């Protein structure tokens, strides 16, 4: 075991063969057990919420530990099925069937491998944080809404708006049911334990809150013989469904391509943002984003080949790994070993877990995805970012995951374009003689977004005087804005010249007299 851990130490950033101290071995071993205990209820809960067999969540966790955990990239973050993809997986399974899930995940994994090879991992850091927070908030809202139905052992509507809109009817149904309220009591009790358990430091050091909550809910259900739904168990090998040739034919459909792109974008962004967060929690080697993207891609490709859930790096497990004192990659690889042992030797243990308890775990996780504490400060300091966050979350709830994220990205781009296209107009010569031209200089970045403001300021100038427009102070002027400004100036000065000629013809000024104005100087448009 120590020789194996030595190899992990070398892969984790230290020089190969540098050796591992007994303290490091002990820390990694202990951390792996903590992460395993956190991962079991989350893997099972995400699978059940996604509408797939519970064992598929464990398979993804195993691959995340044994494959992704061994590959280079990030040293301490842990991968597995994530609550952030639950809604998208559920929608995909509902629309294309469970058999097609493997193709979707496999294709997403291959895309991640290609992006990592092309060194595109670092570019994911350019995605607006507001879009990512809005994406997670939207996922959290839909996840909470869907799991409220699982909390009552009821079937949830398919759409996000439908889930939210039918909540009043769900409350009425629970109130009038003799058994549904018992399932709700189990789920609410689970949430209460998740909130209160971390306050008992001694207990939290022995058992992580998710495992303690699910264990207590399971024990209470068995002790009182409550008539609530339990997790269905098929067995590890029976749950594995590698995709066949018929499923690959679906790759020609536009909807399937969009789902794959959504898997790729969300899984990659969540993993790399998680890596950045985990790097701030420890002093070890920093994450290589391109290698981490390839590691996630390799894991997802294997999960797809096995017909399992997609994976991402999960901040909950990763933070637990760091807090437990992990020093090397060995902790996350060993957590995959413990998951494999559990899935092989104790599969029947899953069958006694109440679904309502897992729903409680995911509702708690969904609330954590919503940045409630950050929203008010963000509104005070950066209102544009707050608007992008809210719009992205709302779009995901109203439409779907892929369209919501695209809307959020477009909002972020539009906001950035608006904020960077600052223009300043300097006007000189207003107090000069009537026959002297007005000199207007435009500074900054002139784009079509600021064109209405520019034209309003130009229209406010005296109509009877020539305008000289100087655009040499612009750092950038787009084609539409440049053409519009040139056309306005030409039209304005043509009107001034026409009126001056008409006045002369009427005899208001004698041609050639000493007080006749000179011909107006021709305007200049400088780009």
């Amino acid at each position: 075991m120590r020789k194996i851990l030595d190899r992990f130490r070398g892969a984790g950033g230290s020089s190969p063969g540098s050796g591992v101290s007994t303290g490091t071995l002990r820390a990694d071993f202990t951390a792996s057990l903590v992460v395993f205990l956190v991962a079991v209820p989350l893997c099972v809960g995400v699978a059940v919420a996604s509408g797939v067999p519970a064992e598929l969540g464990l398979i993804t966790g195993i691959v995340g530990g044994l494959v992704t955990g061994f590959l280079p990239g990030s040293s301490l973050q842990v991968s597995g099925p994530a609550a952030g993809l639950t809604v998208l997986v559920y929608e995909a399974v509902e629309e294309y069937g469970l058999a097609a899930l493997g193709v979707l995940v496999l294709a997403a994994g291959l895309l991640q491998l290609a992006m990592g090879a092309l060194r595109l991992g670092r570019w994911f850091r350019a995605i607006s944080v507001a879009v990512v927070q809005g994406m997670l908030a939207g996922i959290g809202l839909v996840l909470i809404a869907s799991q409220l139905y699982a909390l009552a052992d009821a079937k949830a509507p398919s759409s996000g708006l439908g889930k939210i809109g039918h909540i009043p009817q769900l409350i009425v149904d629970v109130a009038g049911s003799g058994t549904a309220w018992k399932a709700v009591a189990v789920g609410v009790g689970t949430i209460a334990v998740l909130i209160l358990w971390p306050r008992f430091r001694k207990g939290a050091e022995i058992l992580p809150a998710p495992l303690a909550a699910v264990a207590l809910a399971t024990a209470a259900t068995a002790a009182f013989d409550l008539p609530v739904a339990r997790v269905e168990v098929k067995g590890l090998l029976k749950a594995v469904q590698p995709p066949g040739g018929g499923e690959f034919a679906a790759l020609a459909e536009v909807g399937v391509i969009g789902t794959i792109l959504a898997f790729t974008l969300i899984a990659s962004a969540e993993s790399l943002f998680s890596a950045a967060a985990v790097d701030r929690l420890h002093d070890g080697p920093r994450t290589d984003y391109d290698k981490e993207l390839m590691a996630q891609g390799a894991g997802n490709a294997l999960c797809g080949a096995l017909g399992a859930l997609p994976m991402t790096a999960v901040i909950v497990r990763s933070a637990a790994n760091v807090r437990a004192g992990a020093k090397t990659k060995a902790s996350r690889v060993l957590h995959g070993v413990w998951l494999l042992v559990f899935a092989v030797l104790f599969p029947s243990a899953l069958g006694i877990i109440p679904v309502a308890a897992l729903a409680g775990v995911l509702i708690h996780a969904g609330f954590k995805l919503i940045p409630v504490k950050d929203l008010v400060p963000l509104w005070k300091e950066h209102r544009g970012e707050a608007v992008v966050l809210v719009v992205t979350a709302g779009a995901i709830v109203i439409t779907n995951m892929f369209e919501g994220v695209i809307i959020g990205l477009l909002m972020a781009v539009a906001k950035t374009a608006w904020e960077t296209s600052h223009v300043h107009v300097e006007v000189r010569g207003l107090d000069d003689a009537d026959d002297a031209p007005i000199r207007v200089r435009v500074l900054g970045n002139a784009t079509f977004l600021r064109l209405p403001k520019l034209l309003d300021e130009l229209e406010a100038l005296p109509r009877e005087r020539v305008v000289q427009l100087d655009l040499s102070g612009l750092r950038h002027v787009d084609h539409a804005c440049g053409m519009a400004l040139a056309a306005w100036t030409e039209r304005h000065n043509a009107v001034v010249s026409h009126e001056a000629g008409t006045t002369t013809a009427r005899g208001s000024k004698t041609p050639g007299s000493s007080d006749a104005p000179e011909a107006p100087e021709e305007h200049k448009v400088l780009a």
Side-chain angles (χ1 to χ4, degrees):
M1 175 68 74
R2 179 159 182 164
K3 291 181 179 179
I4 295 175
L5 295 180
D6 250 350
R7 293 175 60 188
F8 293 148
R9 177 67 172 174
S14 301
S15 58
S18 60
V20 183
S21 66
T22 303
T24 299
L25 288 174
R26 187 183 300 112
D28 286 334
F29 183 82
T30 303
S32 70
L33 292 175
V34 172
V35 178
F36 160 69
L37 296 176
V38 171
V40 169
L42 291 177
C43 287
V44 176
V46 169
V48 173
S50 301
V52 304
E55 292 86 348
L56 293 183
L58 291 174
I59 292 172
T60 299
I62 292 167
V63 174
L66 297 182
V67 178
T68 305
F70 187 79
L71 295 175
S74 177
S75 58
L76 296 180
Q77 78 169 350
V78 183
S79 300
L85 287 172
T86 301
V87 176
L88 188 58
V89 173
Y90 182 85
E91 292 175 352
V93 171
E94 284 286 307
E95 186 168 355
Y96 306 112
L98 180 58
L101 179 61
V103 174
L104 300 175
V105 179
L106 173 60
L110 294 177
L111 276 178
Q112 287 180 307
L113 282 169
M115 290 190 299
L118 293 173
R119 303 184 64 80
L120 299 179
R122 68 193 67 183
W123 288 100
F124 275 88
R125 290 180 291 177
I127 297 177
S128 168
V129 176
V131 174
V132 176
Q133 288 182 318
M135 176 188 73
L136 295 177
I139 292 170
L141 290 171
V142 178
L143 182 61
I144 292 169
S146 64
Q147 291 309 298
L148 287 175
Y149 294 87
L151 202 71
D153 289 345
K155 182 175 177 57
S158 57
S159 67
L161 279 179
K163 292 181 176 71
I164 295 175
H166 284 79
I167 288 177
Q169 183 61 45
L170 175 66
I171 296 174
V172 173
D173 293 341
V174 171
S177 172
T179 58
W181 67 269
K182 297 178 182 178
V184 172
V186 171
V188 172
T190 303
I191 297 173
V193 173
L194 287 169
I195 296 173
L196 298 175
W197 188 261
R199 299 183 181 182
F200 300 98
R201 294 185 179 179
K202 292 184 179 180
E205 291 175 358
I206 299 173
L207 281 181
L211 185 65
V214 172
L216 289 173
T218 303
T221 301
F224 295 100
D225 193 23
L226 299 177
V228 298
R230 290 172 172 79
V231 176
E232 296 182 7
V233 180
K234 295 184 177 180
L236 196 63
L237 294 180
K238 291 183 179 180
V240 175
Q241 295 184 11
E247 283 75 35
F248 282 98
L251 292 175
E253 299 180 19
V254 176
V256 171
I257 299 299
T259 302
I260 291 171
L261 293 176
F263 272 137
T264 306
L265 174 65
I266 295 169
S268 302
E270 189 169 346
S271 295
L272 298 182
F273 273 91
S274 172
V278 173
D279 281 348
R280 292 194 291 268
L281 299 178
H282 67 90
D283 298 325
R286 304 293 93 178
T287 298
D288 184 315
Y289 288 90
D290 298 316
K291 290 181 179 179
E292 179 62 21
L293 189 57
M294 294 187 71
Q296 295 293 328
N300 273 317
L302 181 55
C303 286
L306 296 174
L309 291 170
M311 75 166 59
T312 72
V314 187
I315 189 62
V316 175
R317 272 162 268 186
S318 302
N321 189 38
V322 175
R323 285 196 297 264
K327 303 298 182 184
T328 72
K329 290 174 180 262
S331 61
R332 62 186 192 176
V333 176
L334 285 176
H335 118 274
V337 173
W338 310 142
L339 284 174
L340 177 61
V341 171
F342 175 81
V344 172
L345 298 183
F346 308 104
S348 58
L350 300 177
I352 64 174
I353 299 175
V355 173
L358 297 177
V361 171
L362 290 175
I363 288 174
H364 184 261
F367 274 111
K368 287 188 173 182
L369 292 176
I370 303 173
V372 178
K373 295 181 180 179
D374 299 333
L375 192 56
V376 173
L378 188 64
W379 175 258
K380 293 180 179 178
E381 298 176 9
H382 306 284
R383 291 194 175 184
E385 294 290 313
V387 171
V388 171
L389 190 159
V390 172
V391 169
T392 303
I396 289 173
V397 173
I398 295 172
T399 58
N400 57 51
M401 182 67 61
F402 182 67
E403 293 179 7
V405 172
I406 294 299
I407 290 172
L409 290 173
L410 292 176
M411 279 284 297
V413 171
K415 180 192 74 69
T416 302
W418 175 261
E419 291 180 347
T420 56
S421 60
H422 288 295
V423 290
H424 175 64
V425 179
E426 291 182 354
V427 180
R428 296 180 181 178
L430 284 175
D431 298 330
D432 294 347
D434 292 343
D435 59 347
I438 298 174
R439 298 178 299 279
V440 177
R441 189 163 184 247
V442 185
L443 308 171
N445 298 297
T447 68
F448 69 94
L449 295 173
R450 297 291 182 175
L451 186 56
K453 173 187 175 182
L454 285 172
L455 293 178
D456 285 345
E457 294 198 31
L458 292 176
E459 291 289 351
L461 297 174
R463 295 175 180 242
E464 68 279 1
R465 295 180 59 184
V466 172
V467 173
Q468 291 181 348
L469 186 63
D470 181 3
L471 304 183
S472 61
L474 288 174
R475 293 188 295 271
H476 169 75
V477 56
D478 64 17
H479 179 71
C481 196
M483 291 293 292
L485 293 176
W488 181 92
T489 310
E490 183 176 357
R491 184 176 64 254
H492 173 87
N493 290 339
V495 172
V496 172
S497 299
H498 176 71
E499 290 181 353
T502 302
T503 301
T504 301
R506 290 176 178 175
S508 59
K509 294 289 184 181
T510 305
S513 62
S514 59
D515 59 343
E518 297 180 1
E521 182 181 350
E522 188 174 338
H523 70 279
K524 300 177 182 178
V525 178
L526 304 177

